[in-house]
């Protein structure tokens, strides 16, 4: 099969996505695009097709950093460059894999040659390849935090710096940043969200005719990629010519005072943080005018720019869905009527919807220049799975799961209640020193953090421990014939710095949804507490999972995921009622943790059990409920799982069952009121002390 990309103009629907990409092609200063949406909605297809529409780039021959012949970078590692004619090459689209290393992104410096010879032997990374092109990050929300930091620095400064113990290399790195993500798999850090100029939401079309056209075009492309691309070459040339014309017109576009007032009033009216939104809206509105063939920015340009540039900047917390109130937007813009343009050609009434597709079906999407509203109206899925059903989250929702009868459950089911307002919680952490993915919860050996020692490198050297390297090389200088001032360093002398930072954990919530928790005020408080812990997990870059138990059994309401939004949604819809199969909930948690340990052995778990401690049902297990609960809890403790019990018991008479459960789990118990940050002093210490005590008790019993 040919390596030809699916033509950009052949994408069905996805008007907002195509418009946002084209605006960045017209004006790279807009700042890139973040594409959010479900799987199989042509996100990757459209982005990969964009590079074919970009004009060719003039570069200095032989320069690995794509310097422009007319204005080469004075600090280019391959320079200095003499002025002269350059060579043209197609604009590049560079893909950053989720699992890439920092050296692959920024480049690698030969430490041995730098120390021994003073030579900056540098191998460029992906940032150098992407200079003056597109840097595409698929699943950008899954990117490691330290790579996100590097991207933020490069995007802000337009340059990449590689430093290793005082030896540094700098090169220009200006690129169009395009990221795609599925919100079900977790959200982005606010700093990176704000760095994307525009955002679009994409979804598969629910119109049968449009879905048929998607399948028809995709099958035709797979049968004959070259022939399919040839049939769309005319449309591709037309779009490419329009991009070139809009780029040429862009410097002549006038952004008047009225348009600037509209932009400022819109950003202020929606309480957007900072000034980047105003700047991005101004650049986007200017690009929209140039794309429409006008030299004056109109209110319609400002409106469309707001719908593309503001939704992702309106998120106040991780549980808020991106979006913009269009009625309120119109109300703000109507306060500032457009200026009367003088000597201005008549504007195009609407962008050209484009020709009918070569396959004989209509292009329902309205061409590559339609639409800018949020959410999008159309959906295309050239890289989709068969659209026989709407994609759903992997776990069955609580409403759809089969329920036991009221007699089996021990009482009638009660409707879900709203959660209380979340509050700030004190950090809970897993004791010991881990080696999991970088995060902000528990202590761990990481690639970044404070230096704690040195060791021989395992594989490629990334962080040099200079003092340890000199100490290793010093005894051998005479034998190596050292004559001058330079230190003779061999590869065996190099030492890797060991560092300690923070890791993200798997926080598994086990929530009691039985009848004993069903009092509305009580369950609202419980949900508010869990929601607060979910917010804390989002901020600390954890994975989360949700197990619930009620009636006759426990269920995995949400498999471990990076999306706290999904967990919050499942929690909100959680009904209550029935008996309390506490042992079933603990055993389900044990099973989930066992499977996750096989999938990701380096990520340590933290179990948060939310219950009043009453065990009134053995479920399908049979036997005494309390005895089963004790055995299940001790099974988790024997596996070394760090646990916290949130005691939900209330009223003047308390049985203390949650405290007994915490003792069996080897962790602390904390009340709902004590979960708040100002009431939780010493809980982390209690977690560590309890786990250590439990471990010693287990050792003594084994002896």
């Amino acid at each position: 099969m040919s390596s030809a990309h699916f033509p950009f103009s052949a994408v069905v629907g996805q008007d907002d996505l195509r418009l946002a990409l084209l605006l960045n092609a017209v004006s790279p200063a807009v700042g890139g695009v973040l594409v959010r949406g479900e799987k199989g909605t042509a996100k990757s297809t459209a982005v990969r097709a964009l590079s074919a529409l970009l004009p060719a780039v003039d570069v200095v021959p032989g320069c690995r950093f794509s310097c422009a012949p007319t204005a080469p970078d004075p600090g280019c590692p391959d320079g200095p460059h003499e002025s002269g004619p350059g060579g043209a090459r197609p604009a590049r689209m560079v893909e950053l894999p989720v699992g890439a290393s920092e050296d692959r992104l920024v480049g690698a410096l030969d430490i041995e040659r730098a120390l021994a010879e003073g030579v900056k032997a540098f191998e460029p990374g992906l940032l150098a390849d992407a200079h003056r092109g597109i840097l595409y990050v698929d699943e950008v929300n899954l990117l490691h935090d330290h790579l996100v930091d590097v991207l933020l620095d490069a995007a802000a400064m337009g340059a990449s710096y590689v430093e290793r113990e005082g030896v540094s290399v700098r090169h220009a790195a200006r690129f169009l940043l395009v990221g795609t993500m599925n919100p079900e798999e977790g959200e982005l850090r606010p700093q990176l969200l704000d760095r994307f100029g525009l955002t679009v939401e994409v979804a598969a079309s629910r119109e049968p005719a449009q879905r048929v056209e998607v399948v028809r075009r995709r099958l035709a492309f797979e049968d004959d990629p070259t022939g399919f691309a040839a049939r769309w070459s005319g449309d591709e040339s037309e779009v490419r010519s329009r991009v070139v014309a809009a780029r040429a017109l862009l410097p002549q576009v006038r952004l008047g005072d009225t348009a600037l007032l509209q932009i400022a009033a819109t950003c202020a009216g929606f309480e957007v943080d900072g000034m980047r939104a105003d700047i991005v809206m101004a650049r986007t509105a200017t690009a929209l005018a140039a794309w429409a063939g006008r030299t004056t920015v109109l209110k319609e340009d400002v409106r469309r720019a707001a719908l593309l540039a503001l939704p992702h900047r309106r998120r106040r917390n991780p549980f808020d869905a991106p979006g913009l109130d269009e009625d309120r937007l119109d109300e703000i813009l109507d306060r500032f009527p457009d200026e009367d343009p003088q000597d201005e050609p008549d504007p195009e009434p609407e962008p050209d919807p484009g020709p009918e597709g070569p396959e004989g079906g209509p292009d329902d999407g309205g061409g590559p220049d339609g639409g800018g509203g949020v959410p999008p109206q159309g959906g295309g899925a050239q890289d989709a799975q068969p659209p026989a059903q709407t994609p759903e989250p992997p776990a069955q929702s609580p409403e759809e799961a089969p329920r036991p009868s009221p007699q089996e459950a021990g009482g009638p089911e009660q409707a879900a209640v709203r959660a209380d307002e979340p509050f700030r919680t004190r950090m809970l952490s897993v004791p010991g020193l881990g080696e999991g993915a970088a995060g902000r919860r528990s202590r761990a050996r990481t690639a970044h953090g404070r230096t704690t020692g040195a060791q021989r490198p395992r594989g490629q050297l990334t962080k040099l421990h200079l003092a340890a390297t000199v100490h290793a090389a010093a005894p051998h200088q005479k034998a190596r014939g050292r004559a001058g001032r330079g230190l003779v360093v061999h590869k065996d002398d190099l030492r890797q710095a060991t560092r300690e930072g923070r890791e993200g954990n798997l926080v598994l919530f086990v929530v009691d949804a039985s009848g004993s928790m069903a009092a509305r005020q009580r369950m609202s408080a419980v949900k508010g507490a869990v929601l607060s812990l979910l917010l804390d997990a989002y901020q600390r870059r954890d994975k989360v999972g949700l197990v619930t138990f009620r009636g006759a059994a426990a269920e995995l309401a949400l498999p471990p995921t990076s999306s706290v939004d999904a967990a919050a949604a499942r929690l909100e819809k959680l009904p209550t009622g029935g008996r309390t199969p506490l042992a079933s909930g603990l055993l389900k948690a044990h099973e989930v943790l066992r499977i996750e340990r096989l999938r990701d052995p380096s990520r340590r778990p933290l179990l948060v059990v939310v219950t009043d401690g009453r065990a009134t049902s053995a479920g399908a297990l049979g036997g005494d409920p309390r005895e089963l609960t004790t055995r299940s809890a001790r099974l988790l403790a024997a596996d070394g799982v760090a646990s916290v019990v949130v005691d939900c018991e209330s009223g003047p008479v308390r049985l203390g069952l949650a405290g007994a459960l915490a003792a069996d789990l080897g962790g602390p118990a904390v009340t709902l009121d004590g979960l708040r940050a100002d009431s939780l002093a010493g809980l982390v210490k209690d977690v560590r002390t309890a786990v250590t005590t439990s471990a010693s008790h287990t050792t003594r019993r084994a002896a």
Side-chain angles (χ1 to χ4, degrees), residues 16 19-20 23-24 29-34 192-201 263 266-267 270 272-286 288 301-315 322-324 329 372-374:
D16 293 339
L19 178 64
L23 291 178
N24 276 274
V30 166
V33 185
L34 174 64
L192 187 56
L193 262 179
D194 188 54
R195 190 65 65 183
F196 285 97
L198 310 179
T199 186
V200 290
E201 297 276 343
I263 291 170
T266 300
C267 292
F270 283 102
V272 177
D273 294 334
M275 294 297 299
R276 182 174 283 117
D278 303 62
I279 297 170
V280 170
M281 273 191 65
R283 291 169 174 168
T284 304
T286 303
L288 280 162
D301 301 320
V302 175
R303 184 183 193 278
R304 188 169 291 180
L307 292 170
L308 291 171
L310 296 188
H312 60 304
R313 295 182 167 91
R314 284 280 301 143
R315 285 178 66 94
L324 214 61
L329 174 61
V374 178

Side-chain angles (χ1 to χ4, degrees), residues 596-648:
E596 285 301 308
R597 192 177 295 116
L598 296 175
R599 292 176 177 170
D600 189 358
S602 63
R603 188 181 289 270
R604 298 185 295 162
L606 175 63
L607 185 68
V608 179
V609 184
V610 185
T611 181
D612 58 10
R614 290 185 173 92
T616 61
S617 172
L621 301 173
D624 180 72
R626 291 190 179 182
E627 182 182 349
L628 286 171
T629 299
T630 299
R631 290 166 55 189
S632 302
R634 289 177 178 174
L635 178 64
L636 286 161
D639 283 350
V641 177
S643 305
V644 176
V645 176
V646 179
D647 185 359
C648 303

Side-chain angles (χ1 to χ4, degrees), residues 24-112:
N24 276 274
V26 170
S27 175
V30 166
V33 185
L34 174 64
V35 187
R36 298 165 46 92
E38 59 196 20
K39 52 187 176 295
T41 47
K43 300 189 297 291
S44 300
T45 296
V47 174
R48 292 189 175 98
L50 175 67
S51 60
L53 301 178
L54 298 181
V57 178
D58 290 330
V59 297
V60 174
C63 178
R64 298 175 296 168
F65 301 89
S66 302
C67 284
T70 55
D73 180 9
C76 176
D78 285 355
H81 300 299
E82 297 181 0
S83 59
R89 63 159 177 79
R92 291 175 181 159
M93 191 196 74
V94 177
E95 295 192 42
L96 173 61
V98 170
S101 66
E102 184 178 350
D103 283 344
R104 182 71 186 98
L105 178 62
V106 302
L109 194 65
D110 191 327
I111 301 296
E112 186 177 359

Side-chain angles (χ1 to χ4, degrees), residues 317 319-320 399 414-423 517-532 568-576 672:
N317 67 64
F319 309 130
D320 292 340
E399 292 83 359
Q414 299 192 18
V417 298
R418 294 183 61 86
D420 286 349
E421 286 297 316
F423 51 84
M517 303 283 289
R520 287 183 174 271
Q521 184 176 1
R522 186 179 181 188
M523 199 59 196
S524 295
V526 168
K527 287 187 175 182
V530 177
L531 200 64
S532 303
R570 301 297 170 87
L571 180 70
E572 181 182 356
K573 299 176 182 178
L574 179 66
T576 57
L672 288 174

Side-chain angles (χ1 to χ4, degrees), residues 7 72 76 84 143 148 154 186 197 251 297 330-331 385 517 550 564 583 603 623 659:
C76 176
L143 202 63
V148 170
V297 174
D330 291 333
E331 180 183 344
Q385 300 172 356
M517 303 283 289
R550 59 178 295 272
V564 295
R603 188 181 289 270

Side-chain angles (χ1 to χ4, degrees), residues 384-612:
Q385 300 172 356
Q389 61 183 10
T390 303
E392 294 289 345
Q396 198 174 22
S397 68
E399 292 83 359
E400 297 170 341
R403 300 282 182 195
S405 67
Q407 291 76 16
E408 294 173 331
E413 179 179 297
Q414 299 192 18
V417 298
R418 294 183 61 86
D420 286 349
E421 286 297 316
F423 51 84
R424 187 172 64 89
T425 66
R426 186 69 62 86
M427 182 179 69
L428 309 177
S429 67
V430 179
L433 193 63
E435 295 182 347
R440 296 186 178 89
R441 185 172 296 278
S442 305
R443 293 174 55 227
R445 299 183 184 91
T446 59
H448 300 270
R450 64 185 182 90
T451 301
T452 58
Q455 64 181 15
R456 291 182 181 273
R458 301 172 185 173
Q460 186 177 9
L461 179 70
T462 55
K463 297 291 182 182
L464 178 74
H465 194 295
L466 183 58
T469 299
V470 173
H471 187 270
H476 308 289
Q477 296 306 295
K478 185 175 181 180
R480 293 172 182 174
R482 173 184 170 186
R485 298 179 61 185
L487 187 68
V488 181
V489 179
H490 289 178
K491 188 172 184 179
D492 290 342
D493 302 326
L494 300 178
R495 295 293 182 269
Q496 174 85 22
T498 57
R499 298 172 181 258
E500 182 179 312
R502 294 279 174 177
E503 67 176 359
N505 298 111
L506 166 59
V507 182
L508 182 62
F509 295 93
V510 181
V511 180
D512 186 346
S514 64
S516 64
M517 303 283 289
R520 287 183 174 271
Q521 184 176 1
R522 186 179 181 188
M523 199 59 196
S524 295
V526 168
K527 287 187 175 182
V530 177
L531 200 64
S532 303
L533 291 168
L534 283 172
L535 179 59
D536 181 70
Y538 164 79
Q539 294 168 341
R540 301 192 186 283
R541 313 298 290 170
D542 294 315
K543 290 180 69 174
V544 296
L546 178 63
V547 171
T548 64
F549 57 93
R550 59 178 295 272
E555 68 171 338
L556 180 60
L558 182 72
T561 175
S562 297
S563 175
V564 295
D565 298 58
R570 301 297 170 87
L571 180 70
E572 181 182 356
K573 299 176 182 178
L574 179 66
T576 57
R579 295 185 181 275
T580 311
L582 181 52
S584 297
L586 297 176
L587 290 176
K588 174 62 74 173
H590 182 270
E591 178 187 356
V592 172
L593 294 179
R594 180 184 62 82
I595 294 173
E596 285 301 308
R597 192 177 295 116
L598 296 175
R599 292 176 177 170
D600 189 358
S602 63
R603 188 181 289 270
R604 298 185 295 162
L606 175 63
L607 185 68
V608 179
V609 184
V610 185
T611 181
D612 58 10

